Structures are given as C-alpha cells and as structure tokens.
C-alpha cells in the first residue's frame, strides 16, 4: 500500500484515465526488454527513461514519450551505455551519462538538445562526473575519482563553480536541489561500499551539513518533492541483501513513511511535477519496468510497449 499521507484532487482524474489507457493498449511496434530511471519533464507532460532491447543491441539507450503513451522516440544511438537523464529547467535539453562499450572506456556527461537531437560533451573530467540535478544556471553533480565521490556545482559549459563535499573515506552521490535551490539533499556512505549509509542535507547559504536519516542498508535514488517538504528515496533498511523499497522522509516532522512493500526491488523514485505521485522502477514482473503510485492505491505500471 502506498503511503496515505498524500491525496489526489479531481484534476488528476483525466491523468489517471490516460495512464489506464497506456496500461491497456501499449505502444505497438516497439518492444523494450527493460526500463530504468524514468524522469518527468518540468511540465509533467513527457518523460525520459532508459531502455534496452534488441533494437538497441542490448545497450541501454534513452527514450522519450508523452505521458499518454504516445510519441515514443529514441533519443540516443551509441555503442555503449546512455542513461540517467536530467532535464534542463526549461525542458529544452537534458544532461545524461554516456559510457563507451568495453571495460575501462570513457564515461562522461553529455548535453543533448531535445528538438534537434544534437549532443556534445559537458566539460572534460578525469574519472566520472555524473550530473544529478539542474537548477537555474547551476548543475549539481558527483565526481568520482579513484573510488571517491564528492559533490560539485558546475555550469552549462562544464566548468566547476564550487566543491560542496570533501569527506575522506566517504562518498556522496544522488544529490538533488530543494525547489528553491537553497539546499541540497544527498546520499553518503563509506567509499569501500560497506557500513551504514545516510540521507543528508547541505544548506548552500551557510554550508551547514546535517544527517536526516541513517540506514544499515543502502540509501540511494533520491528526489525532492516540488513543495519542498518531503524527500523520496530508496532504502534496504534491513541490510544490503534486503530487497529495496521506496520511502518518503518528511522534513518538517522527520517522519519516515514506507511507500512500497514488495519482495522485488522498487527503486529510483521521482516525483510528478505536481508532487502528488511517485514514478519508480521495479522488478516485480521479473524484468525492470516503470510504475506510478498514487496515495492509498496499488502502483500502476506505465506501458512502453514491452509485451509481458
């Protein structure tokens, strides 16, 4: 059961009829074998997600579709790995991760114009820089070098503006701006990959860093609600070997709500543009697919054309 702390107004009635249509009818002609990390556009009318299929020769590529299940379009065609898209605030472009095929190959952020389909590298970084969020003219990223991840602010040219964290033996990642851009929430854990992980926050006005939540499992896949009052995240609270579920942390009350409870992994939550629902991916069919949850109801699968 999805957490009952949220409710839906009448204005979403049409939206849910559209989602039902997607589930019943599908998008014929495209068979996607797996879907991961969907993200809504700033307007909430479109979403971009990663997918792999015979069409992509097994590679993960990026696709775009409108929320009514139409206008499915492949955005990337690259012999390697493309994913983890972040929309620009105006919805005209995205930043995404691209990795070349083969072991030890280049892994770099790319900037893509949605209308023209043209893309370019975003800066030139040793190691791996991955953009997690975009607010106004600032992009928020983690930079991994020799196993250590720290958070940075960069601009659209890929120039570092500010380093936010420098914590020996700890790695910070999956960072997101608050809606007003004054704070950043992120996940942190030991660089070697074992031990407690934490959900933390940095106040960009004064640099104050605080721990919001600690887990013996793995906290990751964060997103800040549009109203600024809640953070959705993934956790396996009973340890790394436990299946993951989606949780919501209420900043004003410090209350934690469990939003999904399934034996399969439910993870990578993303808020809808109006903050009333959460989009996530799950292995509950045996293959990873996209689901949308509204309060008090069973999550509904978004259909992208993959036949069960």
């Amino acid at each position: 059961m999805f957490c009952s702390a949220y409710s839906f107004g009448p204005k979403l009635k049409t939206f849910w009829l559209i989602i039902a249509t997607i589930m019943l009818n599908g998008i014929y002609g495209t068979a996607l074998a797996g879907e991961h990390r969907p993200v809504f556009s700033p307007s909430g009318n479109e979403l971009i997600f990663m997918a792999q299929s015979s069409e992509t020769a097994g590679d993960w590529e990026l696709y775009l579709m409108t929320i009514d299940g139409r206008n499915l379009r492949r955005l990337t065609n690259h012999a390697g790995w493309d994913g983890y898209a972040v929309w620009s605030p105006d919805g005209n472009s995205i930043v995404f991760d691209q990795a070349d095929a083969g072991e030890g190959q280049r892994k770099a952020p790319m900037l893509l114009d949605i209308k023209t389909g043209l893309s370019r590298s975003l800066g030139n970084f040793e190691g791996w820089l991955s953009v997690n969020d975009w607010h106004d003219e600032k992009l928020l990223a983690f930079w991994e070098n020799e196993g250590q991840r720290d958070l940075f602010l960069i601009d659209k040219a890929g120039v570092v503006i500010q380093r936010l964290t420098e914590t020996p033996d700890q790695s910070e990642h999956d960072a997101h701006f608050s809606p007003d851009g004054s704070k950043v929430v992120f996940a942190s854990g030991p660089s070697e990959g074992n031990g407690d992980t934490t959900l933390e926050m940095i106040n960009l006005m004064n640099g104050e860093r605080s721990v919001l939540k600690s887990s013996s499992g793995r906290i990751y896949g964060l997103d800040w609600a549009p109203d600024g009052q809640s953070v959705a995240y993934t956790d396996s609270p009973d340890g790394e070997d436990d299946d993951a579920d989606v949780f919501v942390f209420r900043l004003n009350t410090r209350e934690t709500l469990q939003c999904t409870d399934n034996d399969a992994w439910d993870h990578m939550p993303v808020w809808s543009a109006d903050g009333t629902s959460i989009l996530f991916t799950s292995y509950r069919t045996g293959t990873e697919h996209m689901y949308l949850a509204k309060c008090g109801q069973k999550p509904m699968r978004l259909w992208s054309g993959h036949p069960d």
Side-chain angles (χ1 to χ4, degrees):
M1 184 70 72
F2 192 73
C3 56
S4 59
Y6 307 94
S7 61
F8 287 77
K11 67 179 181 178
L12 290 181
K13 182 177 180 181
T14 302
F15 174 77
W16 285 104
L17 288 174
I18 290 171
I19 295 303
T21 302
I22 295 172
M23 294 177 65
L24 290 172
N25 297 328
I27 305 172
Y28 297 104
T30 302
L32 303 177
E35 304 144 356
H36 183 64
R37 190 48 167 82
V39 285
F40 282 113
S41 64
S43 68
N45 295 324
E46 297 175 303
L47 60 87
I48 287 176
F49 59 98
M50 302 165 57
Q52 60 179 171
S53 68
S54 58
E55 180 186 72
T56 70
D59 288 339
W60 286 99
E61 302 286 354
L62 288 171
Y63 287 79
L64 179 148
M65 73 177 184
T66 50
I67 63 167
D68 60 3
R70 301 179 186 275
N71 305 308
L72 182 69
R73 177 159 62 105
R74 182 173 170 179
L75 296 178
T76 60
N77 191 349
H78 164 251
W81 183 93
D82 300 272
Y84 293 93
V86 173
W87 288 86
S88 63
D90 61 11
N92 292 328
S93 57
I94 60 169
V95 174
F96 64 96
D97 291 347
Q98 184 174 89
D100 292 340
E103 293 294 328
Q105 298 300 309
R106 179 192 67 100
K107 186 184 293 183
M110 303 291 291
L111 181 66
L112 181 145
D113 185 294
I114 296 293
K115 292 182 179 180
T116 66
L118 298 176
S119 63
R120 64 171 173 84
S121 296
L122 184 68
N124 185 17
F125 299 92
E126 294 292 333
W128 175 32
L129 183 134
S130 178
V131 175
N132 297 159
D133 204 359
W134 190 338
H135 182 83
D136 291 338
E137 297 298 314
K138 295 180 180 180
L139 286 72
L140 177 60
F142 71 76
W143 189 355
E144 179 180 304
N145 209 344
E146 298 181 353
Q148 175 75 26
R149 294 181 180 182
D150 288 296
L151 302 181
F152 292 80
L153 296 178
I154 65 173
D155 63 19
K156 291 190 295 186
V159 176
V160 172
I161 300 171
Q162 181 183 356
R163 182 172 188 157
L164 298 180
T165 65
E166 189 171 7
T167 312
D169 302 322
Q170 292 285 315
S171 285
E172 292 82 31
H173 54 93
D174 287 7
H176 286 269
F177 287 111
S178 59
D180 65 2
S182 67
K183 300 179 182 65
V184 166
V185 70
F186 60 95
S188 179
S191 300
E192 66 271 16
N194 51 48
D196 288 356
T197 59
T198 51
L199 176 66
E200 301 191 30
M201 183 169 65
I202 291 178
N203 186 323
L204 296 179
M205 307 304 291
N206 57 22
E208 181 182 348
R209 177 172 171 173
S210 56
V211 175
L212 304 177
K213 187 76 179 178
S214 181
S215 172
S216 59
R218 180 185 169 207
I219 291 177
Y220 68 101
L222 318 179
D223 197 30
W224 208 313
D227 65 3
Q229 300 301 309
S230 304
V231 174
Y233 65 98
T234 309
D235 189 15
S236 50
D238 292 329
E240 285 282 353
D241 295 332
D242 183 38
D243 68 279
D245 283 296
V246 174
F247 295 80
V248 165
F249 182 82
R250 303 300 301 271
L251 292 163
N252 55 347
T253 63
R254 302 188 71 85
E255 177 187 12
T256 299
L257 305 171
Q258 183 169 348
C259 298
T260 66
D261 188 7
N262 191 277
D263 290 339
W265 279 61
D266 298 332
H267 63 158
M268 309 305 293
V270 177
W271 294 95
S272 61
D274 61 7
T276 55
S277 55
I278 293 178
L279 183 63
F280 65 97
T281 48
S282 176
Y283 288 91
R284 44 183 82 195
T285 66
T287 302
E288 193 174 25
H289 293 299
M290 301 181 290
Y291 293 82
L292 190 66
K294 82 172 189 177
C295 211
Q297 293 192 10
K298 182 179 179 180
M300 303 173 69
R301 179 175 163 194
L302 269 68
W303 188 276
S304 68
H306 174 66
D308 283 326

